[in-house]
């Protein structure tokens, strides 16, 4: 039985199976991301380093539309808009039609995401309080979790991490990515052009009008989406904001005329199926390729980078801040609401998920570029801090979760039992019968 006061309990079988399929796609994307980042690091520190930098800084696009940008900027502003469009679709679906439509279930990952952003930011600020020269502009760098990278680590471990914990990790990662976009829009917009921003409302409103009427014609929606992205970019607001806003306009459930929620997947799920492979397989890896390449300058350069408060502020934020923030927020929420942890889990499992949350990459690198400027010395320190922090968080999470893998395996085996062969594991069948 699933009690309302249970923290991180099993969701419905429908949602569990959907999340499992989604996470498999993200895991593949995670391996591509890691491969792209490694390739970038190898090229940047090889004789081909100058060619890599020239490629990243090569400019292309129409000047008249404010789109004569470097390939690195196209990846950060353009391709990541696809990533955030998919993130917006997923979060809206979870909150409207998924298990998180129950406010009590939604509260835990949302509060954990907030804790996992606040504590790393405070640590970075504390470390860099006296650094000066604009160092504090990078306060938001260690606040984001890279779900694809984290799931790739889980896949390497062969972990049987329970679905409830995987869903928890997925949801808090999506939430903190979207909160990071809010942070980018508010704190990393230097020159705001109200006219362009107001003009962007027109294609966004038209896009919303058509998708609310379940129009899915690419020839119509893609030009509107591109127009919205172009105008938001020209306004000075980071263009990825357009992706989130467009994602939130897409309806999740079918209209009454189309049979309602029981008639099958809505338009949001259709778009997610179309765009998630593009996001995970192309957009994020290409961004990683252009963003992760940093010439460390050999051992001496690496030592110098690690003397920087920027580097170890990020490292401490990711490794310590994320773990403390996610675990602390979850534990305090349970404490003050008198909720109990699911009996198949222990609080050490939440610590492990908090450590996985310290694997920051995609959005952390993006914020680093915005804070200090792509290709600057401090931006190089950001990349080293993010890479080192993510690697250390991954190793610590691997050590902790591996010690629990035998327990996870037994839980997974019990959850897989389907004695009546009806396609729904008995654990979820009993839960549905009780409800």
């Amino acid at each position: 039985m699933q009690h309302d006061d249970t923290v991180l309990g099993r969701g419905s079988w429908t949602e569990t199976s959907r999340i499992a399929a989604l996470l498999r796609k993200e895991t593949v994307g995670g391996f591509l991301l890691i491969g792209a980042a490694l390739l970038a690091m190898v090229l940047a520190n090889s004789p081909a380093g100058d060619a890599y930098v020239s490629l990243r800084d090569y400019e292309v696009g129409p000047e008249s539309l404010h789109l004569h940008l470097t390939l690195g900027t196209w990846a950060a502003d353009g391709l990541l808009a696809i990533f955030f469009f998919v993130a917006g679709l997923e979060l809206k679906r979870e909150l409207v039609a998924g298990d998180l439509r129950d406010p009590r279930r939604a509260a835990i990952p949302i509060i954990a995401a907030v804790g996992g952003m606040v504590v790393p930011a405070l640590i970075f600020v504390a470390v860099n309080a006296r650094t000066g020269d604009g160092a504090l502009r990078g306060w938001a760098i260690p606040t984001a979790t890279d779900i694809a990278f984290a799931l790739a680590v889980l896949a390497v471990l062969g972990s049987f991490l329970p679905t409830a914990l995987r869903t928890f990790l997925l949801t808090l990662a999506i939430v903190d990515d979207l909160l990071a976009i809010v942070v980018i829009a508010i704190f990393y917009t230097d020159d705001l052009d109200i006219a362009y921003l107001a003009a962007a409302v027109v294609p966004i409103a038209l896009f919303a009008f058509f998708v609310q009427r379940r129009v899915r014609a690419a020839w119509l929606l893609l030009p509107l989406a591109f127009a919205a992205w172009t105008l938001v970019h020209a306004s000075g607001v980071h263009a990825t904001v357009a992706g989130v806003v467009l994602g939130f306009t897409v309806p999740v459930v079918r209209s009454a005329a189309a049979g309602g929620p029981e008639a099958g997947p809505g338009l949001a799920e259709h778009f997610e199926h179309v765009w998630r492979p593009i996001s995970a397989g192309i957009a994020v890896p290409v961004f990683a390729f252009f963003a992760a390449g940093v010439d460390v300058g050999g051992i001496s350069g690496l030592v110098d980078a690690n003397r920087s408060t920027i580097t170890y502020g990020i490292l401490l934020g990711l490794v310590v801040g994320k773990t403390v923030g996610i675990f602390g927020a979850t534990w305090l929420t349970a404490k003050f609401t008198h909720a109990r942890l699911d009996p198949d889990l222990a609080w050490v499992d939440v610590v492990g998920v908090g450590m996985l949350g310290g694997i920051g990459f995609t959005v952390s690198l993006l914020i680093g570029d915005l804070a200090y400027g792509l290709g600057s010395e401090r931006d190089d320190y950001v990349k080293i801090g993010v890479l080192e922090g993510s690697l250390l968080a991954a190793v610590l999470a691997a050590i902790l979760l591996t010690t629990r893998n035998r327990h996870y395996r037994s839980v997974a085996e019990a959850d897989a039992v389907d004695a009546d062969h009806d396609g729904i594991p008995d654990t979820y069948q009993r839960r549905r019968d009780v409800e």
Side-chain angles (χ1 to χ4, degrees), residues 70-81 84 229 238-240 287 290-291 366 369:
T70 67
L71 292 180
T73 303
W74 272 109
D77 290 17
L79 291 179
L80 282 194
F84 281 106
W229 178 87
H238 199 267
T240 50
F287 167 77
F290 285 117
L366 172 62
D369 290 347

Side-chain angles (χ1 to χ4, degrees), residues 156-190:
V156 171
L157 292 175
S159 176
F160 288 88
L161 192 72
T163 300
L165 287 177
R166 291 176 183 265
T167 304
F168 176 62
L169 176 62
L170 171 69
T171 306
L172 74 86
I174 292 172
V175 171
D176 75 18
D177 280 347
L178 294 180
L179 289 176
I181 277 293
V182 175
V183 167
I184 288 170
I186 296 174
F187 296 98
Y188 295 96
T189 298
D190 296 324

Side-chain angles (χ1 to χ4, degrees), residues 9-335:
R10 295 175 181 82
S12 65
W13 171 242
T14 300
E15 193 67 5
T16 297
S17 55
R18 190 188 74 84
I19 290 293
L22 185 155
L23 294 181
R24 283 193 292 272
K25 296 176 184 176
E26 288 288 358
T27 301
V28 173
F31 284 120
L32 292 174
L33 182 154
I34 293 172
L38 288 174
L39 177 60
M41 288 292 292
V42 169
L43 289 175
N45 291 276
S46 74
D50 290 342
Y52 169 82
V53 172
S54 297
L55 177 64
R56 184 195 66 194
D57 295 341
Y58 181 76
E59 295 184 350
V60 64
E63 184 68 51
S64 59
L65 296 177
H66 302 277
L67 294 178
H68 190 64
L69 310 173
T70 67
L71 292 180
T73 303
W74 272 109
D77 290 17
L79 291 179
L80 282 194
I82 299 173
F83 168 80
F84 281 106
F85 175 72
V86 174
L89 290 173
E90 174 58 27
L91 183 60
K92 183 177 180 181
R93 193 200 177 286
E94 282 294 320
L95 295 173
V96 172
D99 286 345
L100 297 185
R101 65 184 181 277
D102 177 358
R104 292 177 65 89
R105 290 184 65 87
I108 295 293
I110 291 175
I111 292 173
V114 173
M117 294 186 72
V118 171
V119 177
L122 290 176
I123 288 176
F124 183 91
V125 169
V127 170
N128 287 278
R130 297 184 179 180
T131 303
D133 195 26
L136 291 181
R137 275 186 58 83
W139 65 270
I141 293 169
T143 62
T145 296
D146 196 302
I147 185 61
F149 206 148
L151 290 172
V153 171
L154 284 179
V156 171
L157 292 175
S159 176
F160 288 88
L161 192 72
T163 300
L165 287 177
R166 291 176 183 265
T167 304
F168 176 62
L169 176 62
L170 171 69
T171 306
L172 74 86
I174 292 172
V175 171
D176 75 18
D177 280 347
L178 294 180
L179 289 176
I181 277 293
V182 175
V183 167
I184 288 170
I186 296 174
F187 296 98
Y188 295 96
T189 298
D190 296 324
D191 300 309
L192 180 63
D193 190 316
I194 298 296
Y196 278 115
L197 192 60
V201 173
V202 176
I204 290 172
L206 287 172
F207 184 93
F209 173 83
F210 287 117
V211 295
Q212 286 296 321
R213 281 153 184 77
R214 278 60 180 182
V215 174
R216 59 177 68 181
W219 63 267
L220 177 62
L221 297 180
L222 285 180
L224 289 173
F226 182 73
W229 178 87
T230 300
L231 291 168
V232 170
H233 182 274
S235 76
V237 175
H238 199 267
T240 50
V241 173
V244 174
V245 174
L246 292 172
F248 277 135
T249 68
V250 180
V252 170
V253 297
R254 286 175 176 263
S255 65
E262 304 303 321
L267 193 57
E269 193 165 345
H270 166 73
F271 281 166
E272 191 180 329
H273 286 315
V274 172
W275 289 100
R276 185 175 293 279
I278 297 172
S279 171
I282 299 175
V284 173
V286 171
F287 167 77
F289 175 76
F290 285 117
V294 54
D295 182 357
V296 299
I299 298 299
S300 61
L302 200 57
V303 170
D304 288 342
N306 280 283
R307 290 195 182 112
S308 168
T309 54
I310 301 292
T311 301
Y312 64 80
I314 294 170
L315 193 151
L316 287 175
L318 290 173
V319 177
V320 178
K322 275 292 187 180
T323 304
V324 171
I326 292 170
F327 171 79
T330 306
W331 185 84
L332 287 172
T333 302
K335 184 76 171 177

